[in-house]
């Protein structure tokens, strides 16, 4: 090749000019090629990564459910991605200010697990879980530049919010029910709730195999047989070796993106490092002790996606299976909960819902992609993973 | 291939005046003179001074705010990452200072230096003299890019060291709690601080390459600096618009704050790896674009 790096002084013929012009243009091929290779890599690698379905021995749905029930994973660590898309109106800052307002109403600590886990209700979150036997668990909610950790170590339950440097401390004895042995946000927690609802109103099939977090898994497909529910299907990926649910996906009947998608992106069944569960409050951190006498009302509990199956505590349940509707009386006249938020907020809520009327009187229906709720003007609430019409019908019959 | 050509080019007989074949030491000489010229500029010193002042400001502000025993920042935990922990451990001032400077101050400084690299020489009429020496354009460009990257490391270390000194003077030091709630020793904390500084410096590689490419497009140093800093601001704004979420993973600034993941225990690598990969991609694309432009353009000044 001719020297063209420092040959400006050299006189070049016409032909050479033409050549070098072409060669100059050719140099721009390099950055374009780099972009092309990068785009191809970004496009192809994920496609190659979930390289179809692994070959696993055939298994019946019944056997698979038994496998899940028998699964006894004591030691585990991994990363879970939870995406929730309930189709709630995006309230942006308002939503978080309401959540923090509720937290302040509780006991004012941002490290309180009940207020913190409410955040999981919308958006995409990355969680880390680690388990070593029934006495030691850790659940961390990864935030940008901060982390919320919930650590259960023997008798102690610690919540640590690194963003505000606040600590919440409870004891496992009196809070054992709330801080369940298994963190509720993992695919296993969701799967257990879903399998509870398996009865004659449900069809359960094995829907092939898949790769989840680099492990071979069976896919269990749960479909409601009844009409009138908003649940389309639930798909659970079950680890072929351990029977541990690795991924849980709930799709609504209306189609579109999954309402709830929780799955491991990385999982290991090795014993987590012991130091993972050690926690001493850092110097200067504000420590809030759990109040023993306080009757923590269930409405403070995280209303996460598991509610769809178990209904609200203390509520009457109408119907059965997938179309069951929880109903309770708020006792509040005027239809909308007139809590601490005040009337202006109630009016704002009212504008979000659809107004309906029937034999039961008048009311407002609040719709999400999964759960619909009807609040009548005399203060009764009907809620369930059912369509609006089913809700109105139930309210009419309930009258 | 380009390196090989650069080596062969001056080997032509007309290069008799200079050393017959530039040896690697000569390249170091070029790099050294570039580094010294860059660091000695008043402009560079002023930029580094501004960067060093940020941790001092943050440290004093936190000290004053917490004098009455209250916690730093609003209780909701707003403000730069790690700010609530500074009062317990001065080492956290390093992380807070880096989190506060990385979105704007650091890349702006790098944009100024990178934008000036070629265009500044062209504007001052010194570029042709640099090329008269048997260096070759590719080699000059590589030297310039190395200088800019050295400035990235220098600027990050200036912030980190200034923050460490202020943190040690104003706040206690000792074992620290990671954001995952586990405890690590002070020595390990220092190690992580150094690692974080290096990751922050590496996060600036992308905008350095972008600035260098812009710098080869124009003969006005001011124009190149303004364009680079303007691009930085534009990308930072676009990164905040939720409707563009499909594009955002490809913005060079998108994973910048992932360096905080090094303070988790165990370290969460996913976003860190994505960040470094993205920076390498920007360096490859805009570095080669700068090479294509610079080795073919007419140098008139």
């Amino acid at each position: 090749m001719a020297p063209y790096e420092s040959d400006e002084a050299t006189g070049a013929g016409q032909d050479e000019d033409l050549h070098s012009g072409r060669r100059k243009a050719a140099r721009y091929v390099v950055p374009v090629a780099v972009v092309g290779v990068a785009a191809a890599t970004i496009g192809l690698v994920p496609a190659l990564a979930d390289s179809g379905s692994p070959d696993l021995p055939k298994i019946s749905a019944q056997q698979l459910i038994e496998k899940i029930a028998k699964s006894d994973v004591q030691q585990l660590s991994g990363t879970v991605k939870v995406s929730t898309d309930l189709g709630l109106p995006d309230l942006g800052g308002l939503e978080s200010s309401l959540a923090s307002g509720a937290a302040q109403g509780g006991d004012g600590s941002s490290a309180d697990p009940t207020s913190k886990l409410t955040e999981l209700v919308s958006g995409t979150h990355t969680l880390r879980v680690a388990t070593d036997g029934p006495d030691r668990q850790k659940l961390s909610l990864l935030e940008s530049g901060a982390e919320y950790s919930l650590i259960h170590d023997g008798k102690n339950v610690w919540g640590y919010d690194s963003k505000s440097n606040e600590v919440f401390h409870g004891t496992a004895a009196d809070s054992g029910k709330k801080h369940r042995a298994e963190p509720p946000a993992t695919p296993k927690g969701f799967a257990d709730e879903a399998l509870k609802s398996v009865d004659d109103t449900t069809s359960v099939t094995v829907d092939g195999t898949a790769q989840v977090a680099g492990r071979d898994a069976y896919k269990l497909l749960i479909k409601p047989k009844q009409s009138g529910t908003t649940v389309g299907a639930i798909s659970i990926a079950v680890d072929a070796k351990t029977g541990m649910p690795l991924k849980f996906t709930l799709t609504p009947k209306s189609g579109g993106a999954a309402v709830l998608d929780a799955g491991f992106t990385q999982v290991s069944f090795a014993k987590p490092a012991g130091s993972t569960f050690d926690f001493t409050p850092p110097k200067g951190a504000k420590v809030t002790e759990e109040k023993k006498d306080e009757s923590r009302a269930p409405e403070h509990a995280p209303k996460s996606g598991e509610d769809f199956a178990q209904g609200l505590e203390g509520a009457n349940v109408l119907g059965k299976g997938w179309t069951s509707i929880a109903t309770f009386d708020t006792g509040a006249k005027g239809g909308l909960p007139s809590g601490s938020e005040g009337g202006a907020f109630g009016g704002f809520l009212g504008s979000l819902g659809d107004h309906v009327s029937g034999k039961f009187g008048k009311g407002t229906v609040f719709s999400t992609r999964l759960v619909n709720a009807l609040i009548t003007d005399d203060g009764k609430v009907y809620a369930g993973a059912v369509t609006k019409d089913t809700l109105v019908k139930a309210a009419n019959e309930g009258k | 291939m380009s390196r090989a050509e650069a080596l062969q080019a001056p080997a032509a007989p007309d290069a008799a005046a200079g050393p017959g074949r530039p040896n690697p030491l000569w390249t170091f000489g070029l790099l050294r003179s570039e580094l010294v010229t860059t660091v000695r500029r008043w402009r560079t010193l002023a930029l580094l001074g501004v960067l060093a002042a940020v941790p001092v400001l943050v440290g004093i502000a936190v000290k004053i705010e917490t004098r009455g025993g209250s916690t730093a920042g609003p209780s909701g935990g707003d403000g730069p990452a790690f700010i609530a922990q500074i009062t317990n451990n001065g080492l956290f001032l390093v992380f807070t200072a880096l989190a506060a400077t990385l979105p704007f101050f650091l890349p702006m400084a790098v944009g100024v230096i990178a934008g000036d690299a070629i265009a500044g020489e062209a504007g001052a009429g010194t570029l042709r003299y640099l090329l008269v020496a048997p260096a070759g354009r590719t080699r000059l460009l590589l030297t310039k890019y190395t200088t800019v990257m050295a400035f990235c490391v220098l600027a990050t270390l200036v912030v980190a060291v200034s923050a460490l000194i202020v943190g040690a003077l104003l706040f206690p030091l000792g074992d620290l709690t990671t954001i995952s709630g586990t405890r690590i020793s002070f020595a390990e904390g220092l190690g992580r601080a150094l690692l974080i500084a290096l990751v922050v410096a590496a996060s600036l590689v992308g905008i350095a390459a972008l600035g260098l490419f812009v710098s080869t497009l124009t003969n006005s140093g001011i124009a190149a600096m303004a364009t680079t800093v303007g691009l930085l601001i534009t990308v930072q704004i676009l990164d905040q618009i939720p409707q563009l979420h499909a594009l955002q993973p490809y913005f060079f600034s998108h994973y910048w704050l992932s360096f905080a993941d090094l303070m988790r225990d165990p370290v969460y690598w996913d976003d860190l790896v994505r960040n470094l990969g993205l920076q390498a991609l920007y360096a490859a694309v805009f570095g080669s674009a700068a090479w294509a432009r610079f080795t073919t353009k007419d140098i008139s000044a």
Side-chain angles (χ1 to χ4, degrees):
Chain A
M1 278 195 194
Y4 40 70
E5 300 259 355
S6 53
D7 63 347
E8 280 173 304
T10 329
Q14 282 293 64
D15 283 359
E16 227 165 289
D17 265 358
L18 208 76
H19 270 292
S20 74
R22 205 172 290 160
R23 209 160 42 214
K24 280 175 183 177
R27 298 205 160 189
Y28 286 96
V29 171
V30 180
V32 173
V34 173
V35 172
V37 168
T41 316
I42 292 166
L44 282 181
V45 166
L48 293 175
D50 48 51
S51 51
S53 13
D55 264 335
L56 292 170
K58 284 261 179 288
I59 190 170
S60 77
Q62 192 56 39
Q63 281 169 318
L64 193 54
I65 291 174
E66 276 167 20
K67 201 179 175 84
I68 298 173
K70 268 195 296 188
S71 157
D72 184 28
V73 175
Q74 292 288 330
Q75 287 160 348
L76 162 107
S77 58
T79 311
V80 181
K81 204 162 205 164
V82 183
S83 311
T84 4
D85 181 10
L86 281 171
L88 292 168
D90 189 7
L91 301 176
L94 183 61
E95 194 178 353
S96 59
S97 75
L98 281 178
S100 66
Q104 303 295 323
D107 51 16
S109 171
S110 65
D112 189 336
T114 50
S115 67
K116 205 68 194 180
L117 294 178
T118 321
E119 285 179 15
L120 290 178
V121 173
S122 70
T124 301
H125 299 271
T126 308
L127 301 165
R128 272 180 159 178
V129 291
T131 311
D132 184 9
D135 289 337
R136 307 183 96 190
Q137 287 98 22
K138 179 166 178 175
L139 172 74
S140 319
L141 176 58
L142 272 57
E143 297 159 357
S144 166
E147 190 165 324
Y148 175 74
S149 315
L150 189 60
I151 302 158
H152 170 211
D153 182 16
K155 276 168 80 175
N156 293 313
V157 175
W158 297 98
Y160 176 57
D161 183 15
S162 84
K163 200 187 261 178
S164 57
N165 204 27
E166 285 182 21
V167 176
F168 172 87
H169 180 230
T171 45
D174 60 346
S175 55
K177 264 180 226 151
K178 251 175 287 152
H179 315 288
R180 282 184 294 164
E182 188 70 33
T186 60
K188 171 140 180 72
F190 290 126
D192 286 347
E193 294 296 340
L195 289 176
K196 268 186 210 162
S197 61
V198 170
D199 53 22
D200 52 344
T201 63
T202 312
S203 89
V204 183
T205 49
V206 177
D207 182 32
T209 58
Q211 278 245 329
V212 178
R215 297 185 65 92
D216 296 347
Y218 292 106
K219 270 162 77 182
L220 186 69
L221 189 67
I222 303 175
K223 268 189 167 167
K225 283 183 194 159
Q226 294 159 303
S227 63
T229 172
T230 49
V231 178
I234 293 172
S235 166
I236 303 171
V238 183
D239 185 36
K241 279 216 184 71
T242 60
M244 173 89 183
L246 296 177
K247 194 171 166 68
F248 179 95
T249 313
L250 194 160
T251 35
K253 199 160 243 173
S254 54
V259 167
L260 175 66
D261 185 85
F264 280 100
T265 53
Q266 181 262 318
V267 67
S268 148
F269 293 101
K271 186 181 162 77
S275 63
T276 311
F277 308 103
D278 293 338
F279 182 78
T280 34
K283 272 184 295 177
K286 185 178 142 202
V287 182
T288 312
E289 290 289 330
E290 185 178 35
K291 293 185 191 107
K292 303 259 169 8
D293 53 336
E294 190 192 24
S295 56
R296 221 167 259 276
E299 55 260 30
H300 279 286
K303 290 195 175 53
S304 58
E306 63 189 84
D307 277 350
F308 69 91
Q310 65 184 32
L312 288 159
E313 280 174 63
N316 297 319
V317 177
L318 308 174
K320 69 169 206 152
W322 295 92
T323 53
S324 54
I325 293 168
T327 168
F328 53 93
D329 203 333
T330 61
K333 296 288 171 198
L336 291 161
S338 52
S340 53
E341 285 84 16
F345 179 64
F348 169 69
L349 261 187
S351 70
L352 289 176
D354 294 334
H355 296 279
V356 292
S357 56
K359 263 187 276 175
F360 62 88
K362 275 187 187 156
T364 314
V365 173
F366 299 99
S367 304
T368 66
R369 293 178 63 218
L370 184 67
V371 178
N372 288 326
L374 166 66
I375 302 177
T376 63
D377 281 354
D378 51 5
K380 275 197 162 186
V381 177
Y382 299 85
V386 294
T387 57
K388 211 163 90 180
D389 298 339
T390 319
L391 217 51
V392 172
K393 213 171 97 192
N396 283 336
E397 284 162 5
K399 197 66 190 177
Chain B
M1 154 183 145
S2 59
R3 265 185 168 280
E5 282 164 17
L7 283 171
Q8 281 158 16
D14 64 293
R21 175 179 283 268
N23 55 25
L25 279 175
W26 197 90
T27 312
F28 278 120
L30 183 64
L31 179 59
R32 198 182 59 202
S33 81
E34 276 299 324
L35 279 174
V36 170
T37 321
T38 308
V39 174
R40 276 208 186 140
R41 278 199 185 117
W42 280 111
R43 182 194 310 160
T44 315
L45 293 177
L47 283 172
L48 292 178
V50 169
L51 289 173
V54 172
V56 181
L57 281 178
V58 174
I60 292 175
V62 170
K63 188 76 182 172
I64 291 173
E65 197 188 347
T66 56
R67 207 165 34 185
S70 60
T71 52
S75 61
D78 293 328
F82 307 114
I83 202 161
Q85 280 105 322
I86 293 178
T87 41
N88 319 316
N89 200 318
L91 193 54
F92 275 103
L93 187 59
V94 177
F95 312 138
T96 309
L98 288 174
T101 49
L102 183 53
F104 197 72
F105 291 104
L106 276 173
M108 188 181 69
V110 170
V112 167
I113 300 296
D116 194 47
I118 301 291
E121 301 275 6
T126 46
L127 185 56
R128 55 171 25 182
Y129 299 109
L130 274 175
L131 290 172
V132 166
R137 294 189 183 188
T138 307
R139 191 188 298 236
L140 179 66
L141 193 71
L142 278 175
T143 311
K144 287 283 186 190
Y145 191 47
T146 314
T147 311
V148 176
M149 286 202 283
F151 179 77
C152 293
V153 176
L154 180 67
T156 314
L157 287 181
V158 163
V159 175
V161 170
S162 158
L164 189 61
I165 293 170
V166 175
L169 288 177
L170 294 181
F171 305 105
L173 296 175
D175 286 4
L176 63 163
T177 307
T178 63
I179 55 178
S180 301
T182 56
R183 265 179 144 13
I184 55 174
S185 67
F186 183 67
E188 200 190 334
L190 268 184
R192 292 210 186 188
L194 182 66
L195 203 57
I196 283 181
L198 292 179
V199 167
V200 168
S203 303
L204 299 169
V205 165
I207 187 157
L210 189 61
L212 196 68
F213 173 58
V214 172
S215 187
T216 59
L217 293 179
T218 169
N219 283 341
S220 154
I222 300 293
M225 289 182 216
T227 311
T228 310
V229 176
L231 275 172
L232 167 73
I233 298 170
T234 313
V235 166
Q236 292 278 52
I237 291 173
L238 292 182
D239 205 19
Q240 302 300 319
I241 299 176
Q243 280 76 10
L244 296 175
H245 64 89
L247 284 179
Q248 283 166 354
Y250 305 103
F251 291 162
F252 57 82
S253 64
H254 188 67
Y255 294 110
W256 272 355
L257 291 181
S258 68
F259 75 83
D261 290 346
L262 282 169
M263 279 307 289
R264 302 188 200 281
D265 192 31
V267 173
Y268 182 65
W269 289 104
D270 292 23
D271 285 352
L272 282 165
V273 170
R274 263 180 226 138
N275 181 25
L276 296 181
L278 194 65
Q279 301 304 330
L281 180 64
Y282 268 84
V285 171
F286 287 103
S288 58
W291 168 77
R293 166 73 188 165
F294 186 59
T295 51
T296 54
K297 85 170 191 175
D298 292 329
I299 307 290
S300 53

